[in-house]
Amino acid sequence: MQPFVAALSVRDDLSAEEVRALHDLPIHLRSFQRGEEIVGDHTRPGRSSLVIDGTCGRVVQAREGRQITAVHVPGDFVDLHSLLLKVMDHSVVALSDCVVGSVPHGHVAGLCERHPHLGRLLWLSTVIDGAIQRSTIANIGRRSALQRLAHLVCELHTRLAVIGLASPNGFTCSFTQTDLGDILGLSAVHVNRTIRDLRHRKLLSWSGNQVLFSRFESLAAFADFDPTYLNLQKEPR
């Protein structure tokens, strides 16, 4: 629960009782290998899944291939919305080796009833999911390939920094170029060329699983990255 608590604490103050309530939730841990399906399309999960370690993607499968519509990092509930929607209209797939904790919907609902403030924060997390989705649509629809990749790097760095998994000048990322293509709406060949062009511009380097940049501010300016949609300001909810 610690990454989730950290993500919530950036956005609002949690009482000691609320933190205990989160840690007291019954969580069943499972490990998934890269490429494994964590939550299936058209299923009725009955549980909400929290990423403990690794990264995973929200996937919509089309006839022509898959589109990764969102990336989830430690501290993210990947399907909290299934508590109300009941039937999943997409799948969630491991983009690296992952550890995921699942919490029965009944316990999530009970937590919201006993702690209305935590209920609002869980609601906030689903609202932020929607904001990230809007940003992803705008990124694919209105930015160049170079800006798309730069924007994704800025977003991931910002989100990972919140939970202590990024350095000032980079982070570890296990995405393949095929994964990046499915996130950005590009071919793997185009992704390779885009990484090379960004390196040539001295905006970032991507070697193996290490993403590095000399100045985040320069990369963010190039990508037109505005973190407002991540709602990182602390205020009463």
Side-chain angles (χ1 to χ4, degrees):
M1 272 295 169
Q2 192 51 44
F4 183 57
V5 171
L8 293 183
S9 298
V10 166
R11 298 169 170 104
D12 198 356
D13 290 321
L14 298 181
S15 69
E17 181 184 3
E18 289 172 332
V19 172
R20 281 196 302 273
L22 288 172
H23 282 289
D24 286 343
L25 284 172
I27 298 182
H28 174 66
L29 297 181
R30 287 188 61 193
S31 296
F32 295 87
Q33 294 183 335
R34 176 199 291 273
E36 277 194 274
E37 191 174 72
I38 297 170
V39 184
D41 188 12
H42 290 95
T43 61
R44 291 177 171 267
R47 295 170 172 266
S48 287
S49 299
L50 176 69
V51 183
I52 306 297
D53 186 45
T55 54
C56 57
R58 199 186 299 273
V59 173
V60 173
Q61 189 70 42
R63 185 177 301 166
E64 295 76 11
R66 70 175 186 171
Q67 178 68 49
I68 298 175
T69 64
V71 173
H72 289 289
V73 301
D76 286 355
F77 268 106
V78 301
D79 59 348
L80 193 58
H81 53 282
S82 67
L83 174 66
L84 298 178
L85 293 181
K86 305 303 182 185
V87 178
M88 294 289 287
D89 60 0
H90 60 278
S91 60
V92 180
V93 175
L95 298 178
S96 70
D97 292 345
C98 288
V99 177
V100 174
S102 60
V103 182
H105 282 165
H107 288 275
V108 176
L111 178 76
C112 295
E113 292 171 1
R114 295 190 303 275
H115 301 277
H117 179 235
L118 283 180
R120 294 194 297 274
L121 292 182
L122 292 179
W123 183 18
L124 174 65
S125 73
T126 63
V127 171
I128 292 172
D129 280 348
I132 292 173
Q133 192 90 51
R134 291 191 293 274
S135 177
T136 299
I137 293 170
N139 201 33
I140 293 174
R142 291 300 177 187
R143 294 192 177 100
S144 69
L146 291 172
Q147 287 179 307
R148 289 183 211 179
L149 182 55
H151 194 279
L152 176 65
V153 169
C154 289
E155 178 187 302
L156 288 175
H157 180 264
T158 301
R159 292 169 64 191
L160 290 170
V162 166
I163 55 175
L165 293 180
S167 72
N169 297 108
F171 56 94
T172 299
C173 182
S174 61
F175 298 160
T176 66
Q177 291 187 1
T178 298
D179 293 335
L180 288 170
D182 291 343
I183 295 167
L184 300 173
L186 302 170
S187 69
V189 172
H190 201 167
V191 169
N192 184 277
R193 186 164 62 247
T194 301
I195 293 173
R196 187 175 65 243
D197 288 349
L198 289 172
R199 185 186 300 120
H200 179 72
R201 291 168 181 252
K202 301 188 186 307
L203 286 169
L204 64 80
S205 66
W206 197 313
S207 179
N209 63 358
Q210 294 300 310
V211 182
L212 299 171
F213 40 81
S214 56
R215 290 189 71 250
F216 179 83
E217 294 77 13
S218 298
L219 187 64
F222 175 79
D224 189 29
F225 176 71
D226 178 356
T228 300
Y229 68 99
L230 296 176
N231 282 269
L232 296 174
Q233 68 276 10
K234 179 176 284 193
E235 52 186 283
R237 309 284 180 170

